[in-house]
Each structure stands twice: as C-alpha cells, then as structure tokens.
Amino acid sequence: ERVVVLAGGVGGSRFALGVRSAMGDGAELTIVANTGDDLWLSGVRLQPDVDSIVYALAGVNDAERGWGRAGESEHVSGELRKWGAGWPWFTLGDLDLGLHLARTGWLREGLTPTQVIARMAERWPLGARVLPMTDTEVDTTVTVRNGSSTRTMHFQEWWTRHRATLEPLHFDNPGIRQALPAPGVAEAIAAADVVLLAPSNPVVSIGPIVAVPGIGDALRITSAPIVGVSPVIGGRVVRGMADICLAAIGVATDASAIASHYGSRDRGGLVDAWLLAEEDAALAPTVAAAGIRSIVTPLWMRDEPTAKALAEAALVAARG
Ligand code: GDP
Ligand code: FO1
Ligand code: CA
C-alpha cells in the first residue's frame, strides 16, 4: 500500500507518527511537508514544518511544543541576542542550529532541499520518505492593517512575534505560481493508493501545499481516494491559532466549513471523505450536503496510540 500524507508542523508531525505506526510492513509512506514557513535567519535556512516532521519521525523532537529538539539548550541564541543578530523573539536552539548549519552548507554546495532531507534520513531512519512540497523558495506573508494603510510581514513575525494578535487581511505565497512540485511529489500522488490530509492548518500549512501548481492538479486527477482529518474539534482549533487564519479567508472555525472549503472531489475539490470528531457528529449532514462522505471518530492525538487509532480510521475511511 502506498500512502501519501500532506502535512504541516504540529498537527502534521503527530499525524505522520500515527500513520507510520498504522501502516503494515512493506507499505510505503511519503510525507509531503509544507515549506511556506521557511525562512533565512542569521545566515541559515530554516524549514520549521519539515524539521518538526523529521524530528518527530526520528524520535528526537520536543513533543510538547511540536517544534524543535528535545533536551535543547540555547547558548548560541543567547549570544546572537547579545550581538543584536537575528530576531530576539525567535529562538534557535543549539541542537536545532546544528541541522540549520548542515542544511545551509549543503544548499551552498548545490544540494536541493529534497536532497538535504534525504541526507538527514541517512543519519536518522525515518520509516517514511519526507519530501518538501517544492524546492523553490516560497514565503508566506501576512498583510495587516496599519492605520489607514497596510503592512506586510513574514508569517513567522506575525505568528511568533505577534502571536497572531494583529488582524490578518490576507495571506500570500509570493512566487508560488512559478514553483514546481519537488521531484517525486506529483509522482507519489499519482501512484498513491491513499492520500491523507493531516489535521494541519488549512490556510498556512495545507493551503500552500495544494497551491503549488502541479500538486493541486495531481490531487485532482489521482485515482487514490483523498481523506482529510479535521483540525477543528467541537468548534475549536486544538493547538495554535489557526482560527485567526481561517477567519482571514472567510472560513468559520467549524469542521464542516473546513470540509466545504476543501470541497468535494466530485465537484472539483480536494477530498472524498472527511473525519469528524465525536463532538461534531451533528455536522455530518452539512458535510454530506457538500458532497463529502464523513466518518465520526476520536480526533485528539494525545500520544502515539491515539494518533495511530486516528490514522487507522483515516485508512479505513479511504477504503470506502
Ligand atoms: P504548524 O505548522 O506547526 O502550525 O502545525 P500544523 O499546520 O501541522 O497543525 C496545526 C493544526 O493542528 C492546528 O490548527 C490544530 O487544530 C491541529 N491539531 C493539533 N493537534 C491536533 C490533534 O490532536 N487533533 C486534531 N484533529 N488536530 C490537531
Ligand atoms: N515558535 C515560537 O513560538 N518561538 C520560537 O522562538 C520558535 C523558534 C523556532 C525555531 C525553529 C523552528 O523550526 C521553529 C520555531 N518555532 C518557534 C516554531 C514556528 O515558528 C511555528 O510554530 C511554525 O512555523 C508554525 O508552523
Ligand atoms: Ca507550519
């Protein structure tokens, strides 16, 4: 069985672990990671969602935070702050910086981001192939009101510095129309038996992935069923501030509204089936009205067993 998962950071990495444990021997798992959060900082390339997924699969992640390494120290970051270098509100852990330095060196030697991740997988057996959505550098920017005018900033500044407290007018991914899917992404989707959308942020995680031109097309034409998992449980996002992102694109923080936003594949959309939390069972008719089959199942990923059970439910849903 060939399974492809589209994933962001916190929700994406937890779900990826669940899918890996739910899959049988001989099954092939490909995880397509959002790279819209990526940035250059203090001379190094950061790929937060890729790294959250790789660290989680390698078992070296800080599971509570959902990003960065377990057992992290911050000597270098403290020194950078004293230099006035980088962003004082954005901490690069020492172990994490080891990866950023390695990656930046390899990129400068001419490796692609896809090849860099493959190198990471030589050190850490991941039990999955992790692909960036694209090797092209694509940012996510957020435009907010600034008096009578507007101001545009990098997603990380809006998210981490301002904690999403500035009302977003819109999100953009400059350059994404020219971006190509990373090698293997469209092929994996075309050859998949199942495609799963992790319960990731629909706006700034899944949104950029499906906005890469060849990826959206590959999803529309693959013969594999596509099953999405709601990141909203009982009308609330589980971890983070995705509700504020959803409001900016006019989508309610509601599991059925997100399903309708992705749309039914029968009607040119992205999903065949949608996993709803038990708390949201009453939304099943609304999801059905959008032409999407829904399955009610526990959606909380508390630990590996609950993430595995969720992944199993998604795989069962895909089989029809
Ligand atoms: P980010 O890139 O770090 O922001 O992480 P993702 O985009 O992958 O995931 C963020 C989303 O994951 C949030 O909007 C949450 O609603 C969702 N999420 C986090 N934990 C869980 C969980 O246990 N269950 C479900 N269903 N969604 C979750
Ligand atoms: N999130 C924070 O809230 N504060 C930080 O200082 C921070 C540092 C950081 C460094 C590397 C990395 O890969 C991620 C980091 N994050 C930090 C998480 C990240 O900003 C966001 O949560 C994601 O980009 C959203 O997906
Ligand atoms: Ca992200």
Side-chain angles (χ1 to χ4, degrees):
E1 191 175 39
R2 283 164 294 195
V3 179
V4 173
V5 178
L6 310 191
V10 176
S13 58
R14 284 175 185 251
F15 188 66
L17 284 182
V19 177
R20 188 180 62 181
S21 25
M23 288 178 56
D25 290 338
E28 262 177 52
L29 173 58
T30 301
I31 296 161
V32 179
N34 171 45
T35 60
D37 299 359
D38 296 7
L39 71 157
W40 288 97
L41 189 66
S42 294
V44 294
R45 187 72 178 155
L46 311 186
Q47 297 202 285
D49 289 358
V50 167
D51 294 351
S52 291
I53 293 165
V54 167
Y55 288 158
L57 292 172
V60 300
N61 59 312
D62 183 325
E64 215 25 66
R65 272 192 321 198
W67 53 271
R69 297 279 300 263
E72 187 59 287
S73 57
E74 299 178 355
H75 294 285
V76 176
S77 203
E79 198 63 13
L80 287 171
R81 224 162 260 145
K82 288 179 188 153
W83 286 116
W87 285 332
W89 40 266
F90 200 80
T91 306
L92 301 179
D94 297 329
L95 297 173
D96 197 29
L97 263 168
L99 168 58
H100 304 323
L101 287 169
R103 168 166 45 223
T104 304
W106 290 330
L107 290 173
R108 292 192 63 168
E109 285 166 21
L111 267 66
T112 61
T114 302
Q115 293 167 332
V116 168
I117 300 172
R119 283 243 178 132
M120 289 155 65
E122 286 173 20
R123 173 179 176 196
W124 288 319
L126 302 179
R129 183 165 60 134
V130 178
L131 299 175
M133 67 187 197
T134 178
D135 280 336
T136 313
E137 284 186 18
V138 178
D139 288 333
T140 298
T141 62
V142 189
T143 301
V144 302
R145 241 184 281 280
N146 185 25
S148 56
S149 151
T150 63
R151 183 158 76 94
T152 298
M153 65 187 83
H154 192 279
F155 170 74
Q156 289 297 348
E157 183 175 1
W158 177 77
W159 183 262
T160 303
R161 181 183 193 181
H162 298 289
R163 298 271 154 217
T165 52
L166 306 176
E167 188 199 333
L169 298 174
H170 53 92
F171 294 86
D172 289 297
N173 298 113
I176 203 154
R177 278 197 198 83
Q178 285 73 48
L180 291 174
V185 171
E187 294 83 350
I189 293 169
D193 297 303
V194 182
V195 177
L196 305 176
L197 307 190
S200 288
N201 188 316
V203 186
V204 294
S205 292
I206 303 294
I209 301 176
V210 302
V212 174
I215 299 185
D217 298 337
L219 290 167
R220 278 177 196 95
I221 62 180
T222 182
S223 57
I226 304 184
V227 179
V229 181
S230 175
V232 166
I233 300 179
R236 304 174 68 142
V237 292
V238 178
R239 299 177 173 91
M241 309 167 279
D243 46 339
I244 300 163
C245 305
L246 286 164
I249 63 161
V251 175
T253 302
D254 168 295
S256 67
I258 297 169
S260 303
H261 165 68
Y262 288 143
S264 162
R265 286 183 87 206
D266 296 337
R267 306 178 189 173
L270 283 175
V271 292
D272 297 293
W274 186 242
L275 266 53
L276 280 173
E278 292 150 311
E279 296 89 323
D280 293 317
L283 297 173
T286 322
V287 176
I292 299 165
R293 192 156 52 84
S294 68
I295 296 89
V296 174
T297 196
L299 296 194
W300 267 95
M301 298 181 286
R302 274 186 202 83
D303 44 27
E304 200 145 339
T306 49
K308 179 182 180 188
L310 175 57
E312 279 166 347
L315 292 170
V316 168
R319 289 178 200 120

